[in-house]
Amino acid sequence: QTSNLRFQLMLSVQILSRTFANSRQLLVRRTIASTTRVSSLSYSRYQSSSSCVMLAAAAAAAGAVTVHAMRESRTCNCDASENLISLQPGKITKEKSTGIFFPQLVNGMTFTGCGVRVKWGFIKVYAVGTYVDPIAFDYVRHQGDYEIVSALLDPKYPRTIRLVMNRTLSNEKFVNALVESIEPRMNGEDLDKLEEFKKLLPPGDLVSGAVIEMTIRGDTLLLKNSIGGVGAINSIVFCKAMCNIYYGDDAVSPDHRDEAVQGIKKMNK
């Protein structure tokens, strides 16, 4: 009887061992199969994501080539002898002395000419460009240079004056130099507007490439500073003085003034 019990016990142990071994093999197989499916799925996703990345890179490269081609084909030097002004929305113009680019449209107005502000005869401080309302200047553009300059000196003719820094300069030096030019042209009137103007430019530096835009409409000058802040000066005296700085007989950039005049004459409505 004892031998019989031992035999049954050994048989049970063998059966349990085989069952455990089979279960372990089955578990291992399922684990391998699951891992294989996950790996396959991950690889498929990797291939898909890699394809997306490659497509995105190709698109970006194509875009860069397109932009470069557009710049090469639609860029002209701001030179009175050969500069052709047109209303092509994508056209950009390069100021010949600084190499700074000006887009064709700014604030809904059309580019007419550019130049450079030179200090002490050799320091190129910033490039300046003029944008005008083609409808407002439609009648004047058929007149002579004198009539066009008179319109540019009149704030009632809307325009945007775009300044792009060619070198780094502190806001304080920039605004003080501009105020020194404006004040004598105001003939002692509305001088409090000069302090308002100073507050529109934030402290700090105007780095090379920084942009300032001044849009003049009648007695209002809207200024967009280099960090995107916008403020207004309401004074016909101040607006006339600002126009005189850039279009008067003693303009800070005579080339810019002359280019703007020629550009208006060639402009289409």
Side-chain angles (χ1 to χ4, degrees), residues 185 244-254 257:
R185 292 172 165 89
N244 190 273
I245 286 178
Y246 291 102
Y247 310 108
D249 293 337
D250 192 23
V252 295
S253 176
R257 177 199 58 208

PDB file of all heavy atoms in Angstrom, residues 185 244-254 257:
ATOM      1  N   ARG A 185      11.170 122.689 -36.739  1.00  0.00           N
ATOM      2  CA  ARG A 185      10.149 122.722 -37.787  1.00  0.00           C
ATOM      3  C   ARG A 185       8.749 122.968 -37.232  1.00  0.00           C
ATOM      4  O   ARG A 185       7.795 123.127 -37.995  1.00  0.00           O
ATOM      5  CB  ARG A 185      10.171 121.409 -38.577  1.00  0.00           C
ATOM      6  CG  ARG A 185      11.440 121.210 -39.417  1.00  0.00           C
ATOM      7  CD  ARG A 185      11.486 119.806 -40.004  1.00  0.00           C
ATOM      8  NE  ARG A 185      12.451 119.657 -41.079  1.00  0.00           N
ATOM      9  CZ  ARG A 185      13.714 119.319 -40.919  1.00  0.00           C
ATOM     10  NH1 ARG A 185      14.201 119.135 -39.682  1.00  0.00           N
ATOM     11  NH2 ARG A 185      14.524 119.194 -41.964  1.00  0.00           N
ATOM     12  N   ASN A 244       8.003 117.245 -43.233  1.00  0.00           N
ATOM     13  CA  ASN A 244       9.080 118.108 -43.699  1.00  0.00           C
ATOM     14  C   ASN A 244      10.448 117.461 -43.512  1.00  0.00           C
ATOM     15  O   ASN A 244      11.365 117.672 -44.320  1.00  0.00           O
ATOM     16  CB  ASN A 244       9.027 119.452 -42.962  1.00  0.00           C
ATOM     17  CG  ASN A 244       9.957 120.478 -43.560  1.00  0.00           C
ATOM     18  OD1 ASN A 244      11.127 120.550 -43.211  1.00  0.00           O
ATOM     19  ND2 ASN A 244       9.430 121.281 -44.497  1.00  0.00           N
ATOM     20  N   ILE A 245      10.593 116.662 -42.450  1.00  0.00           N
ATOM     21  CA  ILE A 245      11.866 115.987 -42.196  1.00  0.00           C
ATOM     22  C   ILE A 245      12.241 115.065 -43.355  1.00  0.00           C
ATOM     23  O   ILE A 245      13.404 114.989 -43.760  1.00  0.00           O
ATOM     24  CB  ILE A 245      11.796 115.178 -40.882  1.00  0.00           C
ATOM     25  CG1 ILE A 245      11.849 116.112 -39.685  1.00  0.00           C
ATOM     26  CG2 ILE A 245      12.935 114.164 -40.797  1.00  0.00           C
ATOM     27  CD1 ILE A 245      11.728 115.406 -38.358  1.00  0.00           C
ATOM     28  N   TYR A 246      11.241 114.386 -43.921  1.00  0.00           N
ATOM     29  CA  TYR A 246      11.533 113.377 -44.938  1.00  0.00           C
ATOM     30  C   TYR A 246      11.275 113.835 -46.380  1.00  0.00           C
ATOM     31  O   TYR A 246      11.741 113.187 -47.322  1.00  0.00           O
ATOM     32  CB  TYR A 246      10.742 112.101 -44.632  1.00  0.00           C
ATOM     33  CG  TYR A 246      11.249 111.419 -43.382  1.00  0.00           C
ATOM     34  CD1 TYR A 246      10.579 111.537 -42.166  1.00  0.00           C
ATOM     35  CD2 TYR A 246      12.436 110.698 -43.410  1.00  0.00           C
ATOM     36  CE1 TYR A 246      11.066 110.939 -41.023  1.00  0.00           C
ATOM     37  CE2 TYR A 246      12.934 110.100 -42.263  1.00  0.00           C
ATOM     38  CZ  TYR A 246      12.246 110.223 -41.071  1.00  0.00           C
ATOM     39  OH  TYR A 246      12.748 109.629 -39.932  1.00  0.00           O
ATOM     40  N   TYR A 247      10.533 114.968 -46.558  1.00  0.00           N
ATOM     41  CA  TYR A 247      10.214 115.386 -47.925  1.00  0.00           C
ATOM     42  C   TYR A 247      10.515 116.869 -48.208  1.00  0.00           C
ATOM     43  O   TYR A 247      10.279 117.338 -49.310  1.00  0.00           O
ATOM     44  CB  TYR A 247       8.730 115.112 -48.226  1.00  0.00           C
ATOM     45  CG  TYR A 247       8.299 113.704 -47.871  1.00  0.00           C
ATOM     46  CD1 TYR A 247       7.482 113.461 -46.771  1.00  0.00           C
ATOM     47  CD2 TYR A 247       8.735 112.621 -48.631  1.00  0.00           C
ATOM     48  CE1 TYR A 247       7.097 112.173 -46.437  1.00  0.00           C
ATOM     49  CE2 TYR A 247       8.363 111.326 -48.308  1.00  0.00           C
ATOM     50  CZ  TYR A 247       7.545 111.105 -47.199  1.00  0.00           C
ATOM     51  OH  TYR A 247       7.177 109.831 -46.873  1.00  0.00           O
ATOM     52  N   GLY A 248      11.019 117.572 -47.217  1.00  0.00           N
ATOM     53  CA  GLY A 248      11.299 118.995 -47.388  1.00  0.00           C
ATOM     54  C   GLY A 248      12.593 119.255 -48.146  1.00  0.00           C
ATOM     55  O   GLY A 248      13.310 118.331 -48.555  1.00  0.00           O
ATOM     56  N   ASP A 249      12.901 120.532 -48.329  1.00  0.00           N
ATOM     57  CA  ASP A 249      14.130 120.919 -49.026  1.00  0.00           C
ATOM     58  C   ASP A 249      15.372 120.415 -48.300  1.00  0.00           C
ATOM     59  O   ASP A 249      16.387 120.101 -48.927  1.00  0.00           O
ATOM     60  CB  ASP A 249      14.197 122.444 -49.155  1.00  0.00           C
ATOM     61  CG  ASP A 249      13.121 122.996 -50.077  1.00  0.00           C
ATOM     62  OD1 ASP A 249      12.634 122.221 -50.934  1.00  0.00           O
ATOM     63  OD2 ASP A 249      12.748 124.180 -49.930  1.00  0.00           O
ATOM     64  N   ASP A 250      15.276 120.354 -46.963  1.00  0.00           N
ATOM     65  CA  ASP A 250      16.404 119.893 -46.146  1.00  0.00           C
ATOM     66  C   ASP A 250      16.106 118.494 -45.597  1.00  0.00           C
ATOM     67  O   ASP A 250      16.332 118.205 -44.422  1.00  0.00           O
ATOM     68  CB  ASP A 250      16.647 120.886 -45.007  1.00  0.00           C
ATOM     69  CG  ASP A 250      17.975 120.630 -44.298  1.00  0.00           C
ATOM     70  OD1 ASP A 250      18.869 120.025 -44.923  1.00  0.00           O
ATOM     71  OD2 ASP A 250      18.098 121.008 -43.118  1.00  0.00           O
ATOM     72  N   ALA A 251      15.603 117.614 -46.441  1.00  0.00           N
ATOM     73  CA  ALA A 251      15.228 116.257 -46.009  1.00  0.00           C
ATOM     74  C   ALA A 251      16.447 115.494 -45.493  1.00  0.00           C
ATOM     75  O   ALA A 251      17.569 115.675 -45.990  1.00  0.00           O
ATOM     76  CB  ALA A 251      14.598 115.500 -47.168  1.00  0.00           C
ATOM     77  N   VAL A 252      16.225 114.639 -44.495  1.00  0.00           N
ATOM     78  CA  VAL A 252      17.331 113.878 -43.916  1.00  0.00           C
ATOM     79  C   VAL A 252      17.886 112.843 -44.900  1.00  0.00           C
ATOM     80  O   VAL A 252      19.026 112.379 -44.741  1.00  0.00           O
ATOM     81  CB  VAL A 252      16.900 113.178 -42.611  1.00  0.00           C
ATOM     82  CG1 VAL A 252      16.551 114.203 -41.540  1.00  0.00           C
ATOM     83  CG2 VAL A 252      15.737 112.224 -42.853  1.00  0.00           C
ATOM     84  N   SER A 253      17.091 112.477 -45.897  1.00  0.00           N
ATOM     85  CA  SER A 253      17.556 111.569 -46.950  1.00  0.00           C
ATOM     86  C   SER A 253      17.021 112.053 -48.289  1.00  0.00           C
ATOM     87  O   SER A 253      15.939 111.643 -48.724  1.00  0.00           O
ATOM     88  CB  SER A 253      17.087 110.132 -46.679  1.00  0.00           C
ATOM     89  OG  SER A 253      17.463 109.273 -47.744  1.00  0.00           O
ATOM     90  N   PRO A 254      17.767 112.941 -48.961  1.00  0.00           N
ATOM     91  CA  PRO A 254      17.307 113.469 -50.250  1.00  0.00           C
ATOM     92  C   PRO A 254      17.049 112.373 -51.287  1.00  0.00           C
ATOM     93  O   PRO A 254      16.114 112.477 -52.088  1.00  0.00           O
ATOM     94  CB  PRO A 254      18.460 114.380 -50.687  1.00  0.00           C
ATOM     95  CG  PRO A 254      19.141 114.767 -49.405  1.00  0.00           C
ATOM     96  CD  PRO A 254      19.032 113.561 -48.530  1.00  0.00           C
ATOM     97  N   ARG A 257      13.606 110.959 -50.713  1.00  0.00           N
ATOM     98  CA  ARG A 257      12.567 111.890 -51.183  1.00  0.00           C
ATOM     99  C   ARG A 257      12.434 111.831 -52.706  1.00  0.00           C
ATOM    100  O   ARG A 257      11.328 111.722 -53.243  1.00  0.00           O
ATOM    101  CB  ARG A 257      12.915 113.303 -50.740  1.00  0.00           C
ATOM    102  CG  ARG A 257      11.947 114.385 -51.232  1.00  0.00           C
ATOM    103  CD  ARG A 257      12.588 115.753 -51.147  1.00  0.00           C
ATOM    104  NE  ARG A 257      13.817 115.793 -51.935  1.00  0.00           N
ATOM    105  CZ  ARG A 257      14.856 116.591 -51.665  1.00  0.00           C
ATOM    106  NH1 ARG A 257      14.820 117.408 -50.638  1.00  0.00           N
ATOM    107  NH2 ARG A 257      15.934 116.568 -52.437  1.00  0.00           N
TER     108      ARG A 257
END
